[in-house]
Amino acid sequence: MIKIDMNSPEFIAEMEKTVKFTDKVNAQFGWVYNPQEEVNEGVQMGLARNKMMYGKRFCPCFMVEEVDGKARSVDDRICPCKPAIEHEIPDEGKCHCGIFCTPEFAAQQRIEMGMEEAAHTHSRGLTQEECEALVNKSELDGDELVALLEARSLGMVDFTIVDVREHMEWQMGHIKGADKLVPTSSFFQTLDQAGLAKDENILVYCHVGSRSAHVARILADMGYTKISNLTHGIVSYPGEIER
């Protein structure tokens, strides 16, 4: 195994060349860097390492093998690779390694990064953009729900919280602000009574997140389009519980 000293003058020089190379790739295709700088640095280091070891900037996310005495990677992934240019970036907004993004994807990532920080550190309230991004996540944690409930109380976002536990569990304690009780034991009958619209934002929760995850899948199959699940249930919820 070839070991490369990342503090060596050779590697530092190759890193400088690699950064200029990735700058040029972005300029050529109209892409931008990932807002998460550690992603970019990690990929650039991998590209520099591969250039020193194999003479080519193979994508660092893919294994490099020796075939007939020559180095090759899976799908011939040499940066900027053909799958990224033709499919990954146009379809998903970023390449497999994550360093190259469309401007639109990067802008959305910045919103989500700010949203995550605000929700988990409570350093400030959510912005309107962050509310919309957060309420559209398929999985939410307790901090994120607390932030959304605060935003809902200010009229910034609208959603319905559905508890899918049983009635006795609800009586023992439920999330303050929960709107509907639709127990899984009488799910379809109670769902009709709840009168939920198929295009409204619905957040489901249970005790630890397993029943509600199952309910979320059922609702999606029934044509409900905006379903979120409280991933670890009420046991992980740090907000106010009503009894």
Side-chain angles (χ1 to χ4, degrees), residues 14 24 43 56 131 160 197 203:
E14 190 56 54
K24 186 177 179 181
V43 174
K56 293 181 180 180
C131 285
T160 300
L203 188 145

Side-chain angles (χ1 to χ4, degrees), residues 26-229:
N26 274 332
Q28 178 183 351
F29 291 96
W31 301 334
V32 296
Y33 283 119
N34 194 310
Q36 296 176 283
E37 292 183 9
E38 63 272 18
V39 170
N40 305 324
E41 185 180 13
V43 174
Q44 287 165 337
M45 289 177 69
L47 290 170
R49 180 195 66 230
N50 284 345
K51 179 68 172 176
M52 290 182 69
M53 290 176 65
Y54 307 113
K56 293 181 180 180
R57 291 191 177 96
F58 291 113
C59 294
C61 298
F62 294 84
M63 186 178 295
V64 179
E65 299 176 315
E66 190 172 302
V67 180
D68 297 329
K70 294 182 179 180
R72 289 187 58 184
S73 73
V74 175
D75 297 331
D76 227 10
R77 292 266 188 166
I78 300 173
C79 187
C81 62
K82 189 175 179 181
I85 296 169
E86 294 184 349
H87 305 296
E88 293 169 356
I89 296 178
D91 297 343
E92 301 170 22
K94 66 179 181 68
C95 68
H96 182 91
C97 296
I99 184 172
F100 302 126
C101 309
T102 63
E104 296 78 13
F105 180 90
Q108 184 63 28
Q109 279 290 100
R110 281 190 287 271
I111 291 171
E112 292 180 5
M113 287 164 63
M115 166 189 83
E116 293 289 335
E117 181 183 0
H120 293 101
T121 65
H122 306 291
S123 57
R124 58 172 174 80
L126 298 173
T127 66
Q128 190 68 51
E129 280 186 324
E130 290 168 349
C131 285
E132 292 169 5
L134 192 54
V135 79
N136 283 307
K137 287 181 64 175
S138 60
E139 294 286 336
L140 295 170
D141 64 29
D143 284 332
E144 291 169 335
L145 179 53
V146 169
L148 277 175
L149 278 168
E150 180 184 337
R152 187 173 74 168
S153 71
L154 298 172
M156 296 175 66
V157 66
D158 190 32
F159 56 91
T160 300
I161 301 178
V162 178
D163 188 326
V164 300
R165 301 173 302 153
E166 300 306 310
H167 186 261
M168 64 178 183
E169 292 177 281
W170 170 278
Q171 288 181 311
M172 289 172 64
H174 56 271
I175 291 173
K176 185 175 183 180
D179 304 290
K180 307 280 185 180
L181 175 64
V182 182
T184 50
S185 62
S186 56
F187 178 74
F188 293 104
Q189 308 93 293
T190 318
L191 180 63
D192 286 339
Q193 297 167 13
L196 302 171
K198 291 195 172 181
D199 61 349
E200 69 176 292
N201 291 306
I202 300 169
L203 188 145
V204 293
Y205 79 90
C206 64
H207 188 61
V208 295
S210 55
R211 278 176 287 175
S212 54
H214 181 60
V215 165
R217 289 191 292 271
I218 292 173
L219 289 172
D221 289 342
M222 293 175 67
Y224 290 84
T225 58
K226 300 175 181 177
I227 311 297
S228 300
N229 178 45

